[in-house]
Amino acid sequence: MKTLVIANWKMNPQTLAEAKKLLEGTKKAADKAKGVTVVIAPPAIFLHELRASYRGKKISFGIQNAHAESAGSYTGETSLTQAHAAGASWAIIGHAERRAMGETDLDVRKKVAVALALKMTPVLCIGEKTRGPSGEHLALVKEQLKAGLADVPAAKLSKIVIAYEPVWAIGATEAMKPHDMHEMAIFIRKTLFDIYGKPGMAAKILYGGSIDETNAPSMLREGDVQGLLVGRASADAARFTRLLSAVEKA
Ligand code: PEP
């Protein structure tokens, strides 16, 4: 199975010309990484143009966030339907930076259901803000998972990607330890099994939070994950090239 690497460019870069350059650099690196599936989630404003200009099969495109309603009075929003029409086949949903801006579990639940209905792959982001000594974070992760998947039938689990991103490791200096990710992956799988039985095992699990070329190999070898959600290191072509080459070797 190929390793999935999702590039969340966040609010970078600043111009379409720079975005095209970053796509060009990413394309070269992605073409060399035969064992890796690459998804780019650029800022929504660049999505259509980048998708239209991309000549190749290796990279798929995603939206970093979108609204569940397909139309209406939602000033400043982009709908999942519009994102899909602009070329996004993936949707990052419930990213910690969106949750911090007020996105609720109910919003996440609706978005996951709409993305699936549009035949997009939802990347359901979950993760605790902090960890206490008595493991309260596990209850929160379980709650986020259950809420996000509340409208997803068992048969659709193979179309879902769960991105575990502990908030304390996003935009930080260090990633979580692979051993801790391994434990979390077991917990996520157990939760999915409890809800869905065996079909729950079909969901892919990714890790996200301060991943770069130095920590990606051990995370993939020891973290029990099928891929990575990468923020800052994906918005720089040279860094992302090093990362993809490290993932390919791992
Ligand atoms: C992210 O935005 O999902 C993320 C993991 O960011 P970073 O890699 O910069 O920590």
Side-chain angles (χ1 to χ4, degrees), residues 62-132:
I63 189 90
Q64 296 173 14
N65 170 56
H67 203 284
E69 294 298 330
S70 56
S73 303
Y74 299 100
T75 302
E77 292 284 339
T78 301
S79 71
L80 278 162
T81 314
Q82 290 165 335
H84 184 247
S89 46
W90 296 69
I92 298 177
I93 297 173
H95 190 280
E97 287 158 12
R98 301 302 314 176
R99 291 185 191 258
M101 288 180 227
E103 183 158 272
T104 64
D105 275 342
L106 184 60
D107 297 325
V108 171
R109 168 183 178 169
K110 286 187 198 157
K111 291 178 187 193
V112 168
V114 172
L116 280 174
L118 288 164
K119 302 211 168 355
M120 297 167 85
T121 305
V123 181
L124 169 59
C125 299
I126 55 171
E128 77 283 357
K129 283 197 192 123
T130 52
R131 283 194 173 194

Side-chain angles (χ1 to χ4, degrees), residues 8 10 95 165 169-171 208-211 229-232:
N8 173 17
K10 308 197 189 212
H95 190 280
E165 299 203 295
I170 299 177
S210 298
I211 280 292
L229 177 47
V230 183
R232 289 158 299 164

Side-chain angles (χ1 to χ4, degrees), residues 18-33:
E18 288 171 278
K20 284 187 168 174
K21 230 170 140 186
L22 179 54
L23 173 61
E24 201 41 52
T26 303
K27 179 182 183 304
K28 280 190 193 131
D31 286 342
K32 281 190 204 137

